[in-house]
């Protein structure tokens, strides 16, 4: 069953209202609700006193209207009594201050006492709901994150990692500035008050913080697996943009990846929605386990805590939900059902406004609900097939947070710039870990593999040797696993594969760029960082046009085995990225996607030999799209179509075609 539903908080509303809510949900075509992920104070009103009666009644009302339930474990927001009893369970911020009560997600995941209380509430819930017929799955906690600067836990993690202080000192190079540690208790956390930290210490701290949530989640997973083996277990992540947790590690213990998609969620990013930003979020989430995912919170109205973001325009909620499906979502759950009257999120709008009258947004999603009832079955289980992979290295991302090099050099921005250029050509993309099996891809883009292991370097060599096309970008192969700079000429372990040496480099002043001489391409520039390259077997693809390195290589290509490795020495503007991407596709023998009308996304899901083509008009005006030769079944309108089609602003078309041999 394709899951289509909404996040609901019965505890916010009088019980007399629940039945009407459930009725309207059913009328909208919903078949699933997520409940209870912030309801700890209602489920355990005082220490050791549990009350599930109200939730039972809410679930039964919802179940009578055909809803399945995903239950959230409520550990993201501990009740006041718990934190008053154990203020030591609050996490510590970078400033060294322990958080005080008043928000959520403010506990320390390594706190023994917090883990005990968490175990207890999760066990009680699991025992109570293991046989409830409406329950299909569990969401653990809510959007894990935030680093906990709690020293004792870090020290024991280091002890397990290094075994001896001698090894730690050696790996971190603590002879620098006399930081040699003689006792585990001397080791600090990288507090803001300490200033710029040792890079080795700081990277291990980032890993520790990430692993702390993985371990805390695992504790809950084990309880739920034991009591509720029939239910799936998920956690709602935050897509590509979240950068404090290694999501590959976090996803490892889960049955299903889900995430929260807010294209216009925040005041500062709400003006212009870039479809490639959402697409990258989806592709990253699909890549975590290499399989379909859910959107557990799909934007349902304007976002707002203190500032209110732009209201989604007519058609956008449905368009974004279909875009998620096009990228592999098998479940869409809107956040939230009704806009809350109280609390920090009074202006985070749901499908219904405060007054609960079904309005524009409700009716838009109700239309989608009717469509999903007809086509959901066809879509579910089909999958995205990509020949292009982007490597997402959390180690490199963490290390570049510690040393960003240049205000214009962002790991995420660089990644997204290259992704956007490929997405604009409607190419299917997987986002995978550097350790992933690359043999099924023709093209691999590896943005700044700054922290590089010998294993990854060998794996990339094997990929290219076997005929693959690889793009490597600046600041690759710079650091080893301990975040120490390698002693090799850069790009270190990738120099042989790329047939190039970084002879010199330049960190450009803000606002400056270097014009590139790239055959036939007007307006290509590099900014922020310029690696000045000396080819050692590679062919020069582009030269710098300015400064003391004018005429020297900026992009190279090396034939290696049956494939080729390109080295891009700078951060390209859109013109450069676009030209480069065209060349990469050509080298890899890949065709760009079906339509190239700017702002019209075309994405495919495959069902065996049949494909479903999603055409998504992200623009503000009608567009004409041309289908490839053949007759197609327009699934939403249930009619046969061919040739040129008109697609209204923010409209969606899903056509089914037989695979062309
Ligand atoms: C998500 C979170 C929800 C809600 C929403 C709107 O990040 O999971 O609980 O807070 O944002 O702010």
């Amino acid at each position: 069953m394709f899951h289509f539903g909404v996040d609901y908080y019965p505890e916010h509303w009088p019980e007399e209202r629940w039945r009407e809510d459930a009725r309207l949900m059913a009328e909208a075509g919903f078949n699933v609700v997520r409940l209870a992920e912030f309801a700890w104070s209602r489920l355990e009103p005082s220490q050791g006193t549990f009350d599930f009666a109200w939730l039972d009644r809410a679930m039964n009302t919802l179940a009578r209207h055909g809803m399945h339930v995903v239950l959230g474990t409520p550990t993201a927001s501990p009740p006041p009594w718990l934190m008053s009893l154990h203020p030591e369970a609050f996490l510590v911020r970078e400033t060294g201050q322990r958080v005080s009560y008043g928000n959520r997600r403010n506990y320390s995941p390594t706190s023994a006492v917090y883990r005990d209380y968490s175990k207890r509430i999760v066990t009680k819930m699991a025992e109570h709901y293991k046989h409830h017929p409406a329950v299909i799955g569990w969401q653990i906690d809510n959007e894990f994150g935030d680093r906990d600067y709690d020293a004792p836990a870090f020290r024991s993690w280091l002890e397990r990692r290094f075994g001896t202080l001698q090894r730690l000192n050696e790996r971190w190079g603590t002879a620098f500035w006399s930081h040699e540690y003689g006792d585990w208790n001397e080791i600090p956390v990288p507090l803001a008050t300490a200033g710029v930290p040792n890079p080795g210490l700081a990277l291990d701290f980032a890993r520790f913080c990430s692993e702390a949530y993985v371990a805390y989640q695992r504790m809950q997973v084990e309880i739920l697996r034991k009591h509720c083996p029939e239910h799936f277990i998920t956690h709602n992540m935050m897509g590509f943009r979240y950068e404090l947790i290694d999501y590959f590690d976090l996803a490892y213990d889960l049955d299903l990846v889900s995430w929260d998609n807010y294209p216009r969620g925040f005041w500062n990013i709400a003006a212009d929605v870039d479809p490639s930003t959402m697409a990258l979020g989806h592709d990253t989430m699909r890549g975590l386990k290499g399989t379909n995912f859910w959107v557990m919170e799909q934007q349902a109205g304007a976002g707002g805590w203190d500032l209110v973001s732009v209201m989604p325009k007519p058609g956008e909620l449905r368009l974004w939900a279909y875009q998620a499906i096009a990228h592999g979502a098998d479940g869409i759950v809107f956040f939230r059902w009704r806009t809350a009257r109280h609390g920090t999120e009074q202006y985070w709008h749901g499908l219904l406004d405060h007054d609960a009258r079904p309005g524009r947004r409700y009716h838009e999603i109700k239309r989608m609900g009717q469509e999903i009832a007809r086509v959901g079955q066809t879509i579910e289980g089909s999958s995205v097939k990509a020949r292009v992979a982007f490597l997402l290295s959390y180690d490199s991302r963490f290390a570049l947070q510690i040393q960003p090099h240049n205000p214009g050099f962002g790991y995420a921005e660089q990644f997204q710039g290259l992704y956007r250029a490929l997405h604009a050509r409607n190419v299917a993309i997987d986002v995978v870990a550097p350790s992933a099996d690359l043999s099924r891809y023709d093209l691999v883009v590896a943005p700044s593999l700054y922290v590089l292991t010998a294993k990854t370097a060998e794996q990339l060599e094997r990929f290219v040797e076997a005929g693959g096309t690889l793009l490597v970008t600046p600041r690759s192969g710079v650091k080893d696993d301990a975040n120490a700079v390698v002693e090799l000429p850069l790009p270190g372990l990738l120099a042989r594969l790329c047939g190039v040496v970084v002879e010199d480099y330049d960190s450009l002043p803000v606002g400056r760029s270097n014009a590139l001489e790239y055959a036939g391409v007007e307006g290509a520039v590099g900014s922020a960082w310029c690696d000045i390259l000396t080819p050692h077997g590679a062919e020069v693809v582009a030269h710098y046009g300015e400064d003391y390195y004018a005429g020297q290589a900026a992009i190279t290509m090396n034939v290696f085995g049956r494939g080729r490795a390109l080295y891009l020495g700078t951060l390209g503007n859109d013109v450069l990225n676009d030209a480069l991407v065209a060349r990469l596709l050509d080298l890899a023998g890949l065709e760009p996607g079906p339509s190239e009308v700017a702002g019209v996304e075309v994405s495919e899901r495959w069902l065996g030999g049949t494909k479903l083509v999603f055409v998504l008009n992200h623009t503000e005006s009608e567009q004409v799209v041309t289908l490839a030769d053949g007759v197609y079944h327009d699934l939403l309108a249930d009619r046969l179509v061919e040739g040129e089609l008109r697609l209204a602003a923010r409209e969606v078309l899903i056509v089914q075609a037989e695979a062309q041999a």
Side-chain angles (χ1 to χ4, degrees):
M1 172 194 282
F2 191 97
H3 287 95
F4 192 65
V6 76
D7 299 306
Y8 185 45
Y9 300 89
E11 67 274 26
H12 295 177
W13 305 101
E15 194 160 339
E16 308 81 72
R17 173 72 201 183
W18 296 352
R19 189 140 34 109
E20 176 62 0
D21 281 337
R23 190 189 66 76
L24 285 169
M25 287 176 197
E27 220 173 88
F30 291 153
N31 54 28
V32 65
V33 284
R34 183 197 61 183
L35 301 173
E37 87 282 9
F38 295 118
W40 198 341
S41 68
R42 287 287 168 96
L43 296 171
E44 190 179 358
S46 59
Q47 192 183 3
T49 314
F50 296 91
D51 178 10
F52 295 109
W54 66 273
L55 186 55
D56 294 348
R57 291 196 300 279
M59 282 167 65
N60 294 341
T61 304
L62 291 157
R64 273 197 297 278
H65 287 82
M67 301 301 140
H68 293 292
V69 172
V70 175
L71 276 175
T73 69
T75 47
S77 55
W81 60 258
L82 197 167
M83 300 315 269
S84 303
L85 276 174
H86 299 287
E88 74 278 16
F90 281 116
L91 61 74
V92 173
R93 293 252 182 252
E94 198 183 0
T95 54
Q97 281 169 312
R98 210 168 273 283
V99 170
S100 57
Y101 200 81
N103 204 290
R104 60 172 176 182
R105 237 173 67 182
N106 48 14
Y107 62 84
S108 162
T110 58
S111 153
V113 72
Y114 197 77
R115 288 170 68 96
D116 283 347
Y117 280 95
S118 304
K119 271 184 202 162
R120 197 164 60 169
I121 184 72
V122 175
T123 307
K124 288 280 177 195
M125 281 183 87
E127 283 170 351
H128 190 83
Y129 289 113
K130 61 184 169 195
H131 297 310
H132 196 292
V135 179
I136 54 170
W138 295 81
Q139 173 191 300
I140 293 177
D141 204 284
N142 188 81
E143 294 187 342
F144 285 127
D146 294 343
R147 289 179 174 155
D148 173 27
Y149 289 74
D150 184 21
F154 180 44
R155 290 177 189 139
S156 33
W157 184 88
L158 289 170
E159 251 188 282
R160 286 197 300 279
R161 181 173 176 83
F162 291 104
T164 65
L165 278 170
Q166 190 194 346
R167 186 160 161 71
L168 175 146
N169 282 319
E170 187 194 304
R171 298 289 285 158
W172 289 359
T174 49
F176 188 82
W177 282 348
S178 262
H179 286 185
E180 284 160 302
Y181 299 106
D183 189 299
W184 294 100
N185 289 325
E186 292 167 2
I187 302 172
V189 289
L191 289 175
T193 47
V196 180
N198 173 313
L201 178 149
L203 178 58
D204 275 328
F205 182 71
R207 289 169 172 150
F208 153 75
C209 291
S210 176
E211 286 181 24
Y213 284 106
V214 174
Y216 177 76
Q217 177 182 262
R218 185 172 303 140
M219 174 271 285
Q220 296 201 23
V221 167
E222 282 166 4
I223 297 170
L224 295 170
R225 284 254 156 79
K226 178 168 156 226
H227 293 285
C228 312
E230 309 283 301
H231 301 157
F232 68 74
I233 302 173
T234 189
H235 170 71
N236 56 333
M237 306 190 199
M238 289 176 270
F240 175 78
R241 76 183 164 86
Y242 196 70
E243 54 182 16
L244 301 189
I245 295 183
D246 183 329
Y247 273 162
F248 291 106
D249 287 350
L250 194 69
Y252 183 80
D253 289 318
L254 300 172
D255 300 312
L256 171 76
V257 166
S258 63
W259 82 288
D260 301 343
N261 184 28
Y262 291 100
R264 278 193 200 279
F266 305 97
W267 171 248
N268 54 345
I269 56 163
D272 296 307
V273 175
D274 176 355
S276 78
T277 306
M278 289 108 82
L280 174 55
H282 297 308
D283 290 351
T284 305
M285 296 296 99
R286 195 184 65 246
L288 297 181
K289 292 188 87 71
T291 186
N292 289 357
F293 59 95
W294 280 28
V295 178
M296 197 56 94
E297 296 182 14
Q298 175 68 42
Q299 187 168 355
W305 282 22
D306 42 358
L307 299 173
V308 179
S309 78
V310 175
M311 184 58 79
K313 299 177 194 302
E316 281 187 335
L317 300 181
R318 174 174 167 274
L319 173 69
W320 297 333
Y322 274 120
Q323 185 195 25
I325 297 173
H327 284 264
D330 271 352
I332 300 284
V333 184
F334 290 92
F335 183 92
R336 56 180 65 216
W337 171 243
R338 178 174 170 185
T339 318
R341 289 186 54 224
H342 306 279
T344 306
E345 297 193 345
Q346 269 177 332
Y347 293 117
W348 204 284
H349 292 74
L351 275 183
L352 302 186
D353 287 327
H354 298 100
D355 64 12
R357 284 179 306 152
R360 163 171 81 80
R361 301 193 302 282
Y362 173 83
H363 288 293
E364 180 175 320
I365 295 314
K366 183 173 164 181
R367 171 185 168 202
M368 185 172 179
Q370 286 158 354
E371 293 164 349
I372 291 292
R374 278 189 286 112
V375 307
Q377 201 83 39
T378 312
I379 294 170
E380 203 201 352
S382 61
S383 52
V384 176
K385 281 192 202 164
R387 312 284 312 163
V388 178
F390 270 59
L391 302 190
L392 171 54
S393 160
Y394 280 99
D395 260 359
S396 299
R397 202 170 177 180
F398 292 162
L400 285 166
Q401 284 161 14
I402 298 160
Q403 293 167 303
H405 286 63
N406 182 298
F409 192 106
Y411 179 87
E413 290 71 21
Q414 182 200 168
F415 196 108
Q416 184 148 8
L418 290 162
Y419 177 94
R420 190 185 300 117
L422 272 160
H423 177 262
R425 286 167 189 264
N426 290 315
V427 175
I429 299 165
D430 281 349
V431 177
V432 300
S435 58
D437 171 15
L438 302 177
S439 61
R440 78 183 98 134
Y441 300 109
D442 297 314
L443 171 61
V444 168
V445 177
S448 296
L449 288 176
Y450 181 57
V451 176
L452 181 72
T453 62
K455 202 165 154 232
T456 300
E458 279 158 25
Q459 153 128 325
L460 290 173
E461 285 198 354
R462 273 202 302 279
F463 166 73
V464 177
E465 210 158 27
T469 300
L470 171 71
L471 178 68
V472 172
T473 80
R475 306 313 281 155
S476 292
V478 179
K479 300 283 192 104
D480 67 14
D481 194 43
N483 211 7
V485 179
V486 299
E487 290 185 84
L488 304 164
L490 297 182
L493 296 172
L494 296 176
R496 191 173 89 102
L497 172 57
C498 295
V500 81
V501 159
V502 177
E503 210 55 60
D504 195 0
Y505 48 64
D506 192 13
S507 178
L508 301 192
V510 175
R512 293 280 179 81
S513 58
N514 196 309
L516 260 59
E517 291 165 6
Y518 185 2
V521 182
E522 283 294 313
V525 302
S527 62
W529 192 268
C530 294
D531 278 341
I532 301 154
L533 308 174
T534 303
H536 284 251
E539 152 197 347
V540 178
V541 173
H543 299 92
Y544 290 108
E546 299 173 64
D547 218 324
Y548 66 92
Y549 41 98
Q552 288 187 257
I555 307 176
T556 57
M557 178 173 75
N558 192 40
V559 174
F560 189 88
R562 292 195 289 126
R564 51 211 88 50
L566 284 90
Y567 190 95
L568 163 64
T570 186
L571 298 196
N573 61 349
D574 289 348
V575 174
L576 178 59
N577 286 343
D578 186 58
L580 194 58
V581 152
R583 180 159 192 154
L584 290 169
L585 288 175
D586 195 41
L587 288 168
L590 295 167
E591 295 278 322
S595 152
E596 284 199 40
V597 182
V600 177
E601 179 178 1
V602 183
S603 204
E604 296 169 349
R605 282 178 67 151
W606 289 79
L607 253 181
T610 313
K611 67 178 168 182
L612 300 172
V613 184
F614 291 74
V615 187
L616 307 147
N617 182 1
H618 293 281
T619 75
E620 299 284 308
S621 51
E622 184 184 84
Q623 300 292 345
V624 178
V625 291
T626 312
L627 299 175
D629 285 350
V631 177
Y632 298 78
H633 181 201
D634 172 347
L635 291 186
L636 299 180
D638 195 17
R639 55 175 186 160
L640 293 178
V641 290
E642 60 184 316
E644 274 193 1
L645 294 178
R646 293 183 174 282
L647 200 57
R650 306 180 209 110
E651 254 307 334
V652 177
L653 179 73
I654 310 174
V655 295
Q656 186 169 16
E658 292 307 308
Q660 324 280 307

